[in-house]
Short mmCIF file of all heavy atoms in Angstrom, two decimals:
data_model
loop_
_atom_site.label_atom_id
_atom_site.label_comp_id
_atom_site.label_asym_id
_atom_site.label_seq_id
_atom_site.Cartn_x
_atom_site.Cartn_y
_atom_site.Cartn_z
N PRO A 1081 131.61 125.49 114.60
CA PRO A 1081 132.22 125.06 113.34
C PRO A 1081 133.56 124.36 113.54
O PRO A 1081 134.33 124.72 114.43
CB PRO A 1081 132.38 126.37 112.56
CG PRO A 1081 131.31 127.25 113.09
CD PRO A 1081 131.23 126.92 114.55
N ALA A 1082 133.81 123.36 112.71
CA ALA A 1082 135.05 122.59 112.81
C ALA A 1082 136.26 123.46 112.50
O ALA A 1082 136.18 124.42 111.71
CB ALA A 1082 135.00 121.41 111.84
N GLN A 1083 137.38 123.13 113.10
CA GLN A 1083 138.65 123.79 112.84
C GLN A 1083 139.69 122.71 112.54
O GLN A 1083 140.53 122.38 113.38
CB GLN A 1083 139.08 124.66 114.02
CG GLN A 1083 138.08 125.77 114.34
CD GLN A 1083 138.55 126.72 115.42
OE1 GLN A 1083 139.75 127.03 115.53
NE2 GLN A 1083 137.63 127.19 116.24
N PRO A 1084 139.60 122.13 111.34
CA PRO A 1084 140.42 120.96 111.00
C PRO A 1084 141.92 121.21 111.01
O PRO A 1084 142.70 120.24 110.96
CB PRO A 1084 139.91 120.57 109.61
CG PRO A 1084 139.28 121.80 109.06
CD PRO A 1084 138.71 122.51 110.23
N TRP A 1085 142.34 122.45 111.06
CA TRP A 1085 143.77 122.75 111.09
C TRP A 1085 144.37 122.59 112.49
O TRP A 1085 145.59 122.60 112.64
CB TRP A 1085 144.01 124.17 110.59
CG TRP A 1085 143.23 125.21 111.33
CD1 TRP A 1085 143.59 125.87 112.47
CD2 TRP A 1085 141.93 125.68 111.00
NE1 TRP A 1085 142.60 126.73 112.88
CE2 TRP A 1085 141.57 126.65 111.99
CE3 TRP A 1085 141.02 125.41 109.96
CZ2 TRP A 1085 140.34 127.32 111.97
CZ3 TRP A 1085 139.81 126.08 109.95
CH2 TRP A 1085 139.48 127.02 110.93
N LEU A 1086 143.52 122.44 113.49
CA LEU A 1086 144.03 122.30 114.86
C LEU A 1086 144.46 120.86 115.13
O LEU A 1086 143.86 119.91 114.63
CB LEU A 1086 142.95 122.69 115.86
CG LEU A 1086 142.58 124.17 115.95
CD1 LEU A 1086 141.50 124.38 117.01
CD2 LEU A 1086 143.79 125.03 116.27
N PRO A 1087 145.49 120.68 115.96
CA PRO A 1087 145.93 119.33 116.33
C PRO A 1087 144.80 118.55 117.00
O PRO A 1087 144.04 119.09 117.79
CB PRO A 1087 147.06 119.59 117.34
CG PRO A 1087 147.56 120.97 117.01
CD PRO A 1087 146.34 121.74 116.56
N GLY A 1088 144.71 117.27 116.65
CA GLY A 1088 143.72 116.40 117.27
C GLY A 1088 142.36 116.42 116.63
O GLY A 1088 141.46 115.70 117.07
N TYR A 1089 142.17 117.24 115.57
CA TYR A 1089 140.85 117.30 114.93
C TYR A 1089 140.45 115.93 114.38
O TYR A 1089 141.27 115.19 113.84
CB TYR A 1089 140.87 118.31 113.79
CG TYR A 1089 139.68 118.19 112.86
CD1 TYR A 1089 138.42 118.63 113.26
CD2 TYR A 1089 139.81 117.59 111.60
CE1 TYR A 1089 137.32 118.50 112.42
CE2 TYR A 1089 138.71 117.47 110.77
CZ TYR A 1089 137.47 117.91 111.18
OH TYR A 1089 136.39 117.79 110.35
N SER A 1090 139.17 115.61 114.53
CA SER A 1090 138.62 114.38 113.96
C SER A 1090 137.42 114.74 113.10
O SER A 1090 136.57 115.54 113.51
CB SER A 1090 138.16 113.43 115.07
OG SER A 1090 137.35 112.39 114.54
N PRO A 1091 137.30 114.15 111.91
CA PRO A 1091 136.13 114.43 111.06
C PRO A 1091 134.83 113.93 111.66
O PRO A 1091 133.75 114.24 111.15
CB PRO A 1091 136.47 113.69 109.75
CG PRO A 1091 137.47 112.66 110.14
CD PRO A 1091 138.27 113.25 111.25
N GLU A 1092 134.90 113.18 112.74
CA GLU A 1092 133.69 112.71 113.40
C GLU A 1092 133.08 113.77 114.32
O GLU A 1092 131.99 113.57 114.85
CB GLU A 1092 133.99 111.45 114.22
CG GLU A 1092 134.38 110.25 113.40
CD GLU A 1092 134.63 109.03 114.25
OE1 GLU A 1092 133.66 108.29 114.53
OE2 GLU A 1092 135.77 108.81 114.69
N SER A 1093 133.78 114.87 114.51
CA SER A 1093 133.29 115.92 115.40
C SER A 1093 133.38 117.28 114.72
O SER A 1093 133.87 117.38 113.59
CB SER A 1093 134.08 115.91 116.72
OG SER A 1093 135.46 115.78 116.48
N SER A 1094 132.90 118.30 115.41
CA SER A 1094 132.94 119.64 114.80
C SER A 1094 133.97 120.51 115.52
O SER A 1094 135.16 120.27 115.40
CB SER A 1094 131.54 120.27 114.84
OG SER A 1094 131.03 120.35 116.17
N GLY A 1095 133.51 121.52 116.26
CA GLY A 1095 134.45 122.49 116.82
C GLY A 1095 135.18 122.04 118.06
O GLY A 1095 134.76 121.14 118.79
N PRO A 1096 136.31 122.72 118.36
CA PRO A 1096 137.09 122.42 119.56
C PRO A 1096 136.45 123.02 120.80
O PRO A 1096 135.34 123.59 120.75
CB PRO A 1096 138.43 123.10 119.25
CG PRO A 1096 138.04 124.31 118.45
CD PRO A 1096 136.88 123.83 117.59
N THR A 1097 137.13 122.94 121.91
CA THR A 1097 136.64 123.51 123.16
C THR A 1097 136.67 125.03 123.07
O THR A 1097 137.71 125.62 122.74
CB THR A 1097 137.52 123.05 124.33
OG1 THR A 1097 137.52 121.63 124.38
CG2 THR A 1097 137.01 123.62 125.64
N ILE A 1098 135.53 125.67 123.34
CA ILE A 1098 135.44 127.12 123.30
C ILE A 1098 134.57 127.62 124.44
O ILE A 1098 133.78 126.87 125.00
CB ILE A 1098 134.84 127.63 121.96
CG1 ILE A 1098 133.43 127.05 121.77
CG2 ILE A 1098 135.74 127.33 120.79
CD1 ILE A 1098 132.67 127.64 120.60
N TYR A 1099 134.72 128.89 124.79
CA TYR A 1099 133.76 129.54 125.66
C TYR A 1099 132.55 129.88 124.79
O TYR A 1099 132.69 130.48 123.71
CB TYR A 1099 134.34 130.83 126.23
CG TYR A 1099 135.51 130.63 127.14
CD1 TYR A 1099 136.73 131.22 126.87
CD2 TYR A 1099 135.38 129.88 128.30
CE1 TYR A 1099 137.82 131.06 127.72
CE2 TYR A 1099 136.45 129.71 129.16
CZ TYR A 1099 137.68 130.29 128.86
OH TYR A 1099 138.74 130.14 129.71
N GLN A 1100 131.37 129.52 125.22
CA GLN A 1100 130.19 129.67 124.37
C GLN A 1100 128.95 129.93 125.22
O GLN A 1100 128.78 129.33 126.29
CB GLN A 1100 130.00 128.39 123.54
CG GLN A 1100 129.07 128.55 122.35
CD GLN A 1100 129.11 127.32 121.45
OE1 GLN A 1100 129.46 126.22 121.90
NE2 GLN A 1100 128.77 127.48 120.21
N ASP A 1101 128.11 130.84 124.76
CA ASP A 1101 126.83 131.10 125.42
C ASP A 1101 125.79 130.17 124.82
O ASP A 1101 125.50 130.24 123.62
CB ASP A 1101 126.42 132.56 125.21
CG ASP A 1101 127.19 133.51 126.10
OD1 ASP A 1101 127.88 133.06 127.03
OD2 ASP A 1101 127.11 134.72 125.86
N LEU A 1102 125.22 129.29 125.63
CA LEU A 1102 124.26 128.30 125.15
C LEU A 1102 122.90 128.53 125.80
O LEU A 1102 122.82 128.91 126.98
CB LEU A 1102 124.76 126.89 125.48
CG LEU A 1102 126.15 126.53 124.93
CD1 LEU A 1102 126.56 125.15 125.40
CD2 LEU A 1102 126.18 126.63 123.41
N ALA A 1103 121.85 128.29 125.04
CA ALA A 1103 120.50 128.47 125.56
C ALA A 1103 120.20 127.41 126.61
O ALA A 1103 120.51 126.23 126.45
CB ALA A 1103 119.49 128.40 124.43
N ARG A 1104 119.55 127.85 127.68
CA ARG A 1104 119.18 126.92 128.76
C ARG A 1104 118.10 125.94 128.32
O ARG A 1104 118.01 124.83 128.86
CB ARG A 1104 118.69 127.74 129.96
CG ARG A 1104 118.47 126.92 131.23
CD ARG A 1104 117.78 127.72 132.31
NE ARG A 1104 117.98 127.15 133.62
CZ ARG A 1104 118.92 127.54 134.47
NH1 ARG A 1104 119.72 128.55 134.15
NH2 ARG A 1104 119.04 126.95 135.64
N ALA A 1105 117.27 126.35 127.39
CA ALA A 1105 116.13 125.54 126.97
C ALA A 1105 116.58 124.11 126.63
O ALA A 1105 117.55 123.90 125.90
CB ALA A 1105 115.45 126.16 125.76
N GLY A 1106 115.87 123.15 127.18
CA GLY A 1106 116.13 121.75 126.86
C GLY A 1106 117.05 121.03 127.83
O GLY A 1106 117.33 119.84 127.64
N ILE A 1107 117.52 121.71 128.88
CA ILE A 1107 118.42 121.00 129.79
C ILE A 1107 117.63 120.08 130.72
O ILE A 1107 116.51 120.38 131.12
CB ILE A 1107 119.32 121.95 130.62
CG1 ILE A 1107 118.52 122.71 131.68
CG2 ILE A 1107 120.10 122.88 129.72
CD1 ILE A 1107 119.41 123.41 132.69
N LEU A 1108 118.26 118.96 131.02
CA LEU A 1108 117.70 118.03 132.02
C LEU A 1108 118.10 118.47 133.42
O LEU A 1108 117.34 118.34 134.37
CB LEU A 1108 118.21 116.61 131.75
CG LEU A 1108 117.70 115.96 130.47
CD1 LEU A 1108 118.50 114.70 130.17
CD2 LEU A 1108 116.21 115.63 130.59
N GLY A 1109 119.32 118.97 133.53
CA GLY A 1109 119.81 119.41 134.82
C GLY A 1109 121.32 119.52 134.82
O GLY A 1109 121.97 119.50 133.77
N PHE A 1110 121.88 119.60 136.04
CA PHE A 1110 123.31 119.75 136.23
C PHE A 1110 123.83 118.57 137.05
O PHE A 1110 123.17 118.12 137.99
CB PHE A 1110 123.64 121.04 136.99
CG PHE A 1110 123.03 122.27 136.39
CD1 PHE A 1110 121.85 122.79 136.92
CD2 PHE A 1110 123.64 122.94 135.33
CE1 PHE A 1110 121.29 123.96 136.40
CE2 PHE A 1110 123.09 124.10 134.81
CZ PHE A 1110 121.91 124.61 135.32
N LEU A 1111 125.01 118.11 136.72
CA LEU A 1111 125.71 117.14 137.53
C LEU A 1111 126.83 117.91 138.23
O LEU A 1111 127.77 118.36 137.56
CB LEU A 1111 126.24 115.97 136.70
CG LEU A 1111 125.19 115.14 135.97
CD1 LEU A 1111 125.84 114.03 135.16
CD2 LEU A 1111 124.16 114.57 136.95
N ARG A 1112 126.70 118.07 139.53
CA ARG A 1112 127.65 118.90 140.28
C ARG A 1112 128.76 118.03 140.86
O ARG A 1112 128.53 117.17 141.73
CB ARG A 1112 126.92 119.63 141.40
CG ARG A 1112 127.76 120.62 142.21
CD ARG A 1112 126.87 121.57 142.97
NE ARG A 1112 126.06 122.36 142.03
CZ ARG A 1112 124.93 123.00 142.38
NH1 ARG A 1112 124.47 122.94 143.62
NH2 ARG A 1112 124.28 123.71 141.48
N PRO A 1113 130.00 118.23 140.41
CA PRO A 1113 131.10 117.42 140.93
C PRO A 1113 131.26 117.57 142.44
O PRO A 1113 131.12 118.66 142.99
CB PRO A 1113 132.33 117.99 140.21
CG PRO A 1113 131.77 118.56 138.92
CD PRO A 1113 130.44 119.14 139.33
N ARG A 1114 131.53 116.44 143.10
CA ARG A 1114 131.72 116.45 144.55
C ARG A 1114 133.17 116.82 144.86
O ARG A 1114 134.04 115.96 145.05
CB ARG A 1114 131.38 115.08 145.14
CG ARG A 1114 129.89 114.72 145.05
CD ARG A 1114 129.64 113.35 145.65
NE ARG A 1114 128.23 112.98 145.59
CZ ARG A 1114 127.33 113.26 146.53
NH1 ARG A 1114 127.70 113.94 147.61
NH2 ARG A 1114 126.07 112.87 146.39
N THR A 1115 133.43 118.11 144.88
CA THR A 1115 134.73 118.65 145.21
C THR A 1115 134.57 120.13 145.45
O THR A 1115 133.51 120.71 145.15
CB THR A 1115 135.77 118.40 144.09
OG1 THR A 1115 137.07 118.73 144.56
CG2 THR A 1115 135.45 119.23 142.86
N THR A 1116 135.59 120.76 145.97
CA THR A 1116 135.57 122.22 146.14
C THR A 1116 136.09 122.85 144.86
O THR A 1116 137.23 122.58 144.45
CB THR A 1116 136.43 122.64 147.34
OG1 THR A 1116 135.91 122.04 148.52
CG2 THR A 1116 136.42 124.16 147.49
N ILE A 1117 135.26 123.67 144.23
CA ILE A 1117 135.63 124.31 142.96
C ILE A 1117 135.86 125.79 143.23
O ILE A 1117 134.97 126.50 143.70
CB ILE A 1117 134.54 124.11 141.90
CG1 ILE A 1117 134.38 122.62 141.58
CG2 ILE A 1117 134.87 124.90 140.63
CD1 ILE A 1117 133.20 122.29 140.68
N THR A 1118 137.05 126.25 142.93
CA THR A 1118 137.36 127.67 143.05
C THR A 1118 137.42 128.28 141.66
O THR A 1118 137.41 127.59 140.65
CB THR A 1118 138.70 127.88 143.78
OG1 THR A 1118 139.74 127.26 143.01
CG2 THR A 1118 138.65 127.28 145.16
N GLY A 1119 137.50 129.62 141.61
CA GLY A 1119 137.48 130.28 140.30
C GLY A 1119 136.06 130.32 139.79
O GLY A 1119 135.36 129.32 139.81
N GLN A 1120 135.62 131.45 139.34
CA GLN A 1120 134.21 131.59 138.94
C GLN A 1120 134.02 131.74 137.44
O GLN A 1120 132.96 132.10 136.98
CB GLN A 1120 133.60 132.79 139.65
CG GLN A 1120 133.60 132.64 141.17
CD GLN A 1120 132.81 131.42 141.61
OE1 GLN A 1120 131.64 131.26 141.30
NE2 GLN A 1120 133.47 130.52 142.33
N GLY A 1121 135.07 131.52 136.68
CA GLY A 1121 134.91 131.62 135.24
C GLY A 1121 134.68 133.05 134.78
O GLY A 1121 134.09 133.29 133.74
N SER A 1122 135.11 134.02 135.58
CA SER A 1122 134.87 135.41 135.22
C SER A 1122 135.91 135.89 134.22
O SER A 1122 137.00 135.34 134.10
CB SER A 1122 134.92 136.28 136.48
OG SER A 1122 136.19 136.17 137.08
#
């Protein structure tokens, strides 16, 4: 859901950046950045 009170909100979009559990169904795949990524998002 949109949060229009936050800085940078645009009526062309909905919600801001959030941690969210999304269903895997429908994915084409992953694009894995070519770099060393640390931190596991735990």
